[in-house]
Amino acid sequence: MTDTIFGKIVSGEIPAEFLYEDEHCVAINDINPQAPVHVLVIPKRAIARLVDAQADDQALLGHLMLAAGKVASQLGVDDAFRLIVNNGAGAGQTVFHLHLHILAGRGFAEGQMAGFK
Ligand code: AMP
């Protein structure tokens, strides 16, 4: 698999501040935030798109969800955040290393769904 910017961030080749790190994933601030809190949870093992995940990845996918909750709690936004995965270029995916977007700090109520993030 071709390495991506997130592969390089996870490996340390490109420096980034990890807001959270455990054995399986890291969390970083998005470089182009779409909300006051916009954090990416990135697995250390690269999976290009969610649809490329296999049965073997089940535990990792669950782990990422739990990590997202921990990061949201750590950032004090656990009462109101949105979790997004873009799958494929047509859905806005630009980095082909699976990641979860955590967005918080602005309204997401009814009528505020415009734009995916
Ligand atoms: P997606 O469009 O779902 O693939 O999300 C990729 C996200 O990565 C975008 O929101 C970008 O702003 C973000 N991004 C790209 N390069 C970096 C970087 N070096 N550090 C942090 N975020 C990045």
Side-chain angles (χ1 to χ4, degrees):
M1 184 184 302
T2 315
D3 205 4
T4 65
I5 184 121
F6 291 169
K8 294 186 169 105
I9 285 173
V10 161
S11 72
E13 188 180 335
I14 293 177
E17 182 193 352
F18 293 163
L19 306 179
Y20 172 90
E21 179 175 15
D22 65 28
E23 189 184 350
H24 299 296
C25 65
V26 302
I28 62 170
N29 279 314
D30 195 291
I31 204 169
N32 181 24
Q34 303 299 306
V37 172
H38 187 172
V39 172
L40 305 172
V41 179
I42 306 171
K44 291 185 175 177
R45 178 148 51 95
I47 300 168
R49 303 169 302 170
L50 180 63
V51 76
D52 297 314
Q54 304 295 315
D56 277 1
D57 297 312
Q58 183 167 325
L60 176 60
L61 296 178
H63 183 90
L64 295 174
M65 298 286 277
L66 289 172
K70 284 184 195 168
V71 172
S73 296
Q74 183 183 308
L75 297 173
V77 298
D78 43 314
D79 275 341
F81 67 93
R82 178 173 287 178
L83 199 58
I84 292 168
V85 175
N86 295 316
N87 182 94
Q93 185 174 4
T94 57
V95 181
F96 286 81
H97 178 137
L98 176 69
H99 50 281
L100 277 54
H101 295 257
I102 300 172
L103 292 150
R106 67 166 164 85
F108 292 117
E110 189 184 343
Q112 296 176 296
M113 288 291 288
F116 78 95
K117 62 183 182 185

